[in-house]
Amino acid sequence: MYLNCHTYYSLRYGSIAPKQLLAMAFANNLNTLALTDINNTSACLDFVRLSSNYNIKPILGVDFRNGAEQQFILIAKNNNGFQNINHYLSKHLYNQELKIPDRPETKINDCYVIYPYLKGVDYNLKTDEFLGVTPKDLNNLKFSRWNTLQHQLVILKTVSFQNKKGFNTHRLLRAIDNNTLLSKLPKTEEGDSNHTMMPYQQLCSTYEEFPTLIENTKQLMDKCSINFDFSQQIPNNQKTYTNSEVLDFKLLKKLTYEGLHYRYKDPDTTIFKRIEKELSIINAKGFVSYFLINWKILKYARSKGYFYVGRGSGANSIIAYLLRITDVDPIELDLYFERFINLFRQNPPDFDIDFSWKDRDDITQFIFKTFKNTALITVYNTFKFRASVRELGKVFGLPKSEMDILTRGKYNINQLDQLSQLVIKYSTYIEGFPNYLGIHAGGILISEKPIHYYGATFMPPKGFPTTQFDMVVAEDIGLYKFDILSQRGLGKIKDAVAIVRYNRPQLPPIDIHDIKRFKKDERIKYLLRNAKAIGCFYVESPAMRMLLKKLQVDNYLGLVAASSVIRPGVAKSGMMREYILRYRYPEKRKEAHPVLSKLMPETYGVMVYQEDVIKVAHHFGRLTLGEADMLRRGMSGKFRSREEFLKVKQQFFDNCKTAGEPEAFTADVWRQIESFAGYAFAKGHSASYAVESYQSLFLKAYFPLEYMTATINNFGGFYRTELYVHEARMHGGIIKPPCINTSFTQAIIKAKTIYLGFMFLQSFESKLMKQIIAEREQHGTYKTLDDFIERIPISVEQISILIKINAFRFTKTNKRELLWEAHLKISKTVIQEHIMTLFKTEKISYKTPQLSSTDLENAFDEIELLGFPLCNPFHLLNKPSLTHIRAKHLIGFQHKTITIEGYLITTKNTTTSNGKRMYFGTFLDYDGDFIDTVHFPPMAAKYPFRGNGIYSITGKVILEFGCVNIEVSNMERLAIIEDPRYAINSSNPTFQKKRNFEDLKVRYE
């Protein structure tokens, strides 16, 4: 009887979760319910999936509105009608300026249309069109002509919220949506407070004077039927690649054997048996087209010269290796086949394909052009608590200072005023509500049926149709995404190879794919053992740097393990330390449980990979492969609350008890399994990462300056650009600020000199960068400031940036004098373009005062324009250094308390087991070497980080597995000099003497 029900996917309008709506219907004795969210279909598939749990027949539709103004409701008679509704809605979502009309422009087949009953509006209703009469309309209806046309009327009892609290939440959501104070929210922008659900009998009683309306509504609902298959027995991805399943399999087999000799010089029976086994299961499970589509995408990528990395569970497949989807040899690594695929696995193996961030958009474009039914996947961007506090604070009119107090959480709820208490109360309530639809990082659907069969699509700025349901719902319905991701690591590798080519043309071309040679390379082994991998993919973070030092890894398999050991799952379970102990001290390996040791000999009985969990679940927990696969899916974190996962957990414990395993040990093994949720890597995934790590390590080992130039141009990796500039300097690079006669948009290298590009200058216009370079390439270098002004239309503000960064240093004129000249010679009005003249007018030469600038002033100009100085930051200290201890000396001060100075690079915060905040810090000393610090909760609270700068750090030196840390007991940020461009006094010698940084050398040596 309810034809117009909204969930909170009626974004910033509804306040009921889909499950809650079904539970309400069940409690009110309903057996049929229509979900008609406002201009949205996000909840539809989940609503249908869950409805059987409540013995409710689901009906789907959409409530079409302009803002809060209802135009009409479309109800699907069947799946075809639902597809037509989605197609119609998508057309309007693609063009937000296209208002939804009073009625559909054309007939929507297999649908009912319900218009709101409006007094005085004359409707000429067609077949399958009705007027919806609300309880408020009943009195008017008695005196309306429609009273004699009741066969065209139905009950329209809207449900948007559960109760008064839900209505209040709805009003707040509407105020947020309208960006207005709650007190100023127009009544036209909110729903009716009576838009709640009442019991079935009460609803019938409300309309008892109009039994025809009750009967019409029943008949309409009886004629509607929606069915989707959630069994996941058959994938709903594009079923064939060649339009024939037989031809698909022949092609897959042909491509597999064609790729054999590219990968193996002398394949043996092990390889042939693995191929036949995989082909058989891939065919039996209907995953052939999935492999071929991935192959097609990557064939195109190779034709364009794009670098890519194939990873995910699919990297466990020899077929994927032979089709060049991945670069990981599953035979060499003994990758667990059942993690990749088995007869019990419902969904296809996971291929995450990483491309350079510069190439991914073209790949996405190719996919949409090549495959018919394609869409990006959405993500639900939900209200987070802090954001909710700010949004509701604005709605209630709180000043920013009060909102800041609430978002920081430092308040006593009982001491807050009534408005602030309401903000906290309702922020908690709307936390987790969907706020708006975003785009999944890389998920693309390629479906057999049209995407609109499953839901509507919208068009975000990227310009590709995007579903309104997320990846979890997609998997529920048997649609498995293709992950087309981007990362900067591949861009760095590709660019570095090109930079080496132009900077060292005498060298032979680099074969960056010769991974077998890289694995044996002594220079790479040295970098790994000593954790000298700044800029290298996945091995440069402070945590990874310390892990590599502790493990002393210098081989491929060790790096593969380290790539997964570093994940939070292993660390959380406490097994990271255990793995390090067993790796470093062979006698500790005997402590492993015999069963676990036998299952995971390579990692000494420690669960490191997702495969390990499946092995333990199957062999130790005696779960079937089907149950173990359910556990694998549960580890993603998406399904942990679902009954299937909890059922498997109970089965695990029951099986172990039956087998006589000690209860405490079983609980500990399960604890380790649970810690993997959402974090664990498949071994093939780690192996794929390690391949890319080796490529970047090779470039860093042999071409450090070229590689750092590429890293800088790709905006780094884990760290800020400043550290990569520093790293280049540590390898003998000479770093220069941009120069108008040498620099390009990006940084370039000439021999050992790196010239930073114009793109690193803050507030410098990209259009000007292109003009400067194009003009220089066409008509030669710029001779003088006048020559530059003559050739490039530029404003005073923009040329000031170039002068202040010393881009005109070739003129040998001090930049302060050049600034005077520029201000005198350039009009304050921005010049759009040059007007061509027959004769050049000579610029007037002004006599400017003799000015000078110091290294310190240059450093502050660099901080302003680049974000960091090109000098050693220690040169900017206001007072001389008080300590001569450096990072290299720390190992000699084990268990002693020392004081050292460090330039802050990055921090990481974490929470202790009792919920207190602690930090890890990474600093550079004066020499440029790393200092690593630990800030336990008491010290973290007492001596907080106060932004970038140089800190005096006091603490105890701790040595663990050869890795040095300082447990901080005191920390203070040191003062730097006043900005010398404006200051008049400083104790810094360079400031006093107005000379250069050479004055400071004696102080620090």
Side-chain angles (χ1 to χ4, degrees), residues 920-935:
F920 298 94
T922 304
F923 298 81
L924 292 177
D925 72 358
Y926 178 84
D927 298 333
D929 295 321
F930 283 106
I931 304 165
D932 295 297
T933 59
V934 182
H935 307 247

Side-chain angles (χ1 to χ4, degrees), residues 874 876-883 900-902 948-953 971-977 1004:
F874 285 82
L876 305 182
L877 280 175
N878 196 39
K879 293 180 179 176
S881 174
L882 300 175
T883 176
I900 191 169
E901 290 171 0
N948 294 338
I950 297 167
Y951 288 77
S952 174
I953 304 155
M971 187 174 74
E972 170 190 7
R973 193 173 73 165
L974 301 177
I976 62 169
I977 63 167
Y1004 286 96

Side-chain angles (χ1 to χ4, degrees), residues 859-873:
F860 276 81
D861 278 334
E862 289 157 6
I863 291 169
E864 179 188 329
L865 298 172
L866 295 173
F868 55 90
L870 295 179
C871 67
N872 188 326

Side-chain angles (χ1 to χ4, degrees), residues 633-920:
R633 294 183 71 214
M635 284 194 306
S636 69
K638 293 180 295 185
F639 304 107
R640 286 172 59 74
S641 61
R642 290 202 178 168
E643 290 173 14
E644 310 96 278
F645 184 62
L646 298 174
K647 186 179 173 184
V648 171
K649 175 181 178 178
Q650 190 57 51
Q651 191 65 51
F652 179 89
F653 277 93
D654 290 347
N655 291 352
C656 290
K657 188 174 182 180
T658 304
E661 296 292 350
E663 194 173 322
F665 181 68
T666 301
D668 187 58
V669 171
W670 182 260
R671 182 184 60 79
Q672 292 177 44
I673 288 172
E674 275 200 313
S675 70
F676 272 68
Y679 301 115
F681 273 175
K683 187 178 180 183
H685 190 100
S686 291
S688 300
Y689 268 4
V691 166
E692 189 176 343
S693 296
Y694 265 93
Q695 290 175 317
S696 55
L697 284 161
F698 167 76
L699 292 165
K700 179 79 186 290
Y702 288 91
F703 311 101
L705 293 180
E706 289 84 356
Y707 184 66
M708 294 324 296
T709 303
T711 302
I712 290 165
N713 285 338
N714 282 274
F715 300 99
F718 184 88
Y719 303 97
R720 301 189 305 269
T721 300
E722 179 181 10
L723 185 70
Y724 300 110
V725 169
H726 162 79
E727 184 71 7
R729 192 182 291 109
M730 294 290 283
H731 282 85
I734 302 160
I735 314 298
K736 297 287 187 183
C739 167
I740 61 161
N741 277 335
T742 310
S743 295
F744 290 83
T745 302
Q746 295 187 322
I748 62 161
I749 183 169
K750 292 188 173 184
K752 289 191 173 184
T753 303
I754 296 172
Y755 294 87
L756 296 178
F758 297 121
M759 70 178 182
F760 298 102
L761 294 173
Q762 293 179 27
S763 303
F764 194 61
E765 295 170 2
S766 56
K767 182 180 76 173
L768 264 175
M769 300 176 202
K770 293 172 186 172
Q771 283 181 319
I772 291 167
I773 296 161
E775 171 64 23
R776 187 178 74 208
E777 289 179 342
Q778 193 172 356
H779 297 112
T781 57
Y782 302 99
K783 305 294 187 290
T784 61
L785 179 67
D786 284 352
D787 182 39
F788 180 82
I789 294 169
E790 189 70 41
R791 291 161 63 180
I792 299 294
I794 192 169
S795 68
V796 167
E797 291 78 15
Q798 290 291 296
I799 202 168
S800 294
I801 293 172
L802 292 173
I803 294 171
K804 284 162 80 175
I805 204 65
N806 230 353
F808 289 90
R809 53 190 177 275
F810 68 93
T811 64
K812 309 293 184 190
T813 305
N814 186 277
K815 66 183 184 181
R816 304 295 170 214
E817 295 177 30
L818 290 177
L819 276 172
W820 272 93
E821 280 192 49
H823 276 76
L824 291 168
K825 292 177 178 178
I826 295 177
S827 166
K828 291 283 180 189
T829 309
V830 180
I831 305 165
Q832 297 299 327
E833 55 182 281
H834 271 311
I835 299 167
M836 295 297 293
T837 57
L838 288 174
F839 305 101
K840 283 189 179 181
T841 55
E842 195 172 322
K843 294 274 182 191
I844 301 170
S845 292
Y846 297 96
K847 182 73 176 172
T848 55
Q850 290 289 313
L851 300 169
S852 64
S853 59
T854 66
D855 282 355
L856 285 174
E857 289 170 311
N858 289 340
F860 276 81
D861 278 334
E862 289 157 6
I863 291 169
E864 179 188 329
L865 298 172
L866 295 173
F868 55 90
L870 295 179
C871 67
N872 188 326
F874 285 82
H875 290 170
L876 305 182
L877 280 175
N878 196 39
K879 293 180 179 176
S881 174
L882 300 175
T883 176
H884 291 283
I885 296 177
R886 302 281 192 269
K888 62 190 175 189
H889 303 139
L890 291 178
I891 201 163
F893 290 97
Q894 189 177 0
H895 301 309
K896 292 181 180 176
T897 298
I898 55 92
T899 297
I900 191 169
E901 290 171 0
Y903 181 61
L904 182 62
I905 296 299
T906 188
T907 63
K908 182 192 175 185
N909 64 68
T910 187
T911 306
T912 61
S913 56
N914 60 2
K916 292 187 177 177
R917 185 70 71 187
M918 66 173 289
Y919 292 85
F920 298 94

